[in-house]
Structures are given as C-alpha cells and as structure tokens.
Amino acid sequence: KDPEVLLAAWEKAVADHVDARLLMVTGTEGAFIERLKKSATARGIAHSIIWSPIVTNQELPTYFSAADIGVWPGDESAVLREAVACGLPVILPNERSGGHSINHQNVSGGNGILFDRGDVNSLATSICDLIEDPELRNRMSARARVLAEEQFDWRVISDRFVELYGGVCAKNGQQIVDL
C-alpha cells in the first residue's frame, strides 16, 4: 500500500516539523517491517517514527481517536471509513477508475485531502498543510463525523440497499413488503 512513498514524504515533512511523529500501524510484522525500518534509518527519519505492533480491529478506534491525521498512501483499506467515523482527517490518493476518483466519496465532506498517488512531493505538502493548520484539521475532523453519519452509517446503507432492491423488484413487477 505504498509505505515507501509515505516514508519518502515523511522525510520531507519532518525536515520542517522536527517535533512531528509518524505512527506506523501496518497490520503486519516480520521481514516487511524490518525492510521499512531499514529504509527509515537510511533516510535519517527513524527517530521520528513509532512502530506499532499488530493492532486488532477492536483496538483501531483508539488509535484513530488519538491521531491528528490519517494517511493512506496507496490502496484503500477496509478500516478507512472507521477512521473517518472517529473524526480523523485523512489524506488519500486521488486515483481514477473509469474517469472518477475512487476516494472522492471518502473526502466528499471536506474531511480530507486527495494527493496524486506516488507523488512524494504532493503527499509531503498535504501532510505539512495539516500539521501546520490545526484549525483546518479541526474543521476536517468535524466534517468527518458528519460524513460518517450521513454516508457510512449502517442505517443509511441499509436504507439505500432497500431502495435499490425495491427498484429492482418494481422493474420485475414485484414489491417489497414492510415488516
């Protein structure tokens, strides 16, 4: 999920923000993490990174609630919407699929920033923008909660599903019975 891009961007960001810390929550351990740690050491940024042990899904909200910014430099993670629900401002790649931004919905409420995937400078700038502007982070945090309630709540999702299913049934001359 492009952790090397994050490390390269962090190298640029921490040069201007020496007190900032990056908490790496990767969900894995072993050779992969050791390779990332060596890369961080080679970049001279190991002192600014806290390496988390594997975190269970039940523990993630605690991490999200304690964080100031969430960064997903590569593929979307299943826990992204949970982070948004915790009020975490997010930085996501502006990937395109069929002409549409895949992550647009995840930041449509003004709760995050999109950057060009793989563009270290764009990601570093996004990180610095949020580090430097706590008021912006606070606004994005508040918007994240609203977005989660309006878009990602299971009641909203189930209502949309019923509406969609009802439309399909209606096209086939059937109807949904309310219980």
Side-chain angles (χ1 to χ4, degrees):
K1 298 185 181 187
D2 295 348
E4 284 289 346
V5 171
L6 177 56
L7 291 180
W10 185 250
E11 180 180 5
K12 292 176 178 291
V14 80
D16 293 331
H17 305 282
V18 295
D19 292 332
R21 295 293 176 262
L22 174 65
L23 174 61
M24 290 288 287
V25 180
T26 62
T28 188
E29 57 188 3
F32 173 72
I33 296 299
E34 291 309 312
R35 190 176 76 244
L36 291 177
K37 287 180 178 180
K38 285 180 184 176
S39 177
T41 299
R43 293 175 182 281
I45 58 172
H47 69 281
S48 68
I49 301 175
I50 301 164
W51 299 91
S52 169
I54 292 180
V55 177
T56 66
N57 285 343
Q58 292 79 13
E59 296 171 304
L60 283 172
T62 302
Y63 282 77
F64 294 146
S65 296
D68 292 317
I69 304 166
V71 181
W72 278 262
D75 297 334
E76 180 180 328
S77 170
V79 299
L80 171 62
R81 291 191 172 139
E82 191 169 346
V84 170
C86 288
L88 188 62
V90 294
I91 301 174
L92 308 172
N94 189 19
E95 293 192 287
R96 301 260 172 215
S97 176
H100 301 286
S101 172
I102 295 170
N103 281 316
H104 178 74
Q105 180 185 15
N106 293 319
V107 296
S108 64
N111 61 294
I113 298 173
L114 296 176
F115 75 98
D116 295 326
R117 184 172 183 166
D119 184 338
V120 171
N121 291 326
S122 175
L123 178 54
T125 298
S126 298
I127 292 169
C128 288
D129 286 348
L130 289 181
I131 289 173
E132 294 166 7
D133 193 343
E135 290 179 17
L136 176 60
R137 284 196 320 268
N138 289 337
R139 285 192 308 272
M140 287 183 169
S141 179
R143 291 176 183 153
R145 281 295 301 145
V146 170
L147 177 68
E149 291 169 4
E150 291 177 352
Q151 299 289 324
F152 307 147
D153 183 273
W154 283 110
R155 290 172 292 239
V156 172
I157 293 170
S158 66
D159 287 347
R160 286 187 191 142
F161 181 78
V162 169
E163 184 179 317
L164 175 68
Y165 188 68
V168 170
C169 289
K171 285 183 181 180
N172 293 320
Q174 301 171 348
Q175 69 182 55
I176 296 177
V177 177
D178 270 341
L179 300 178

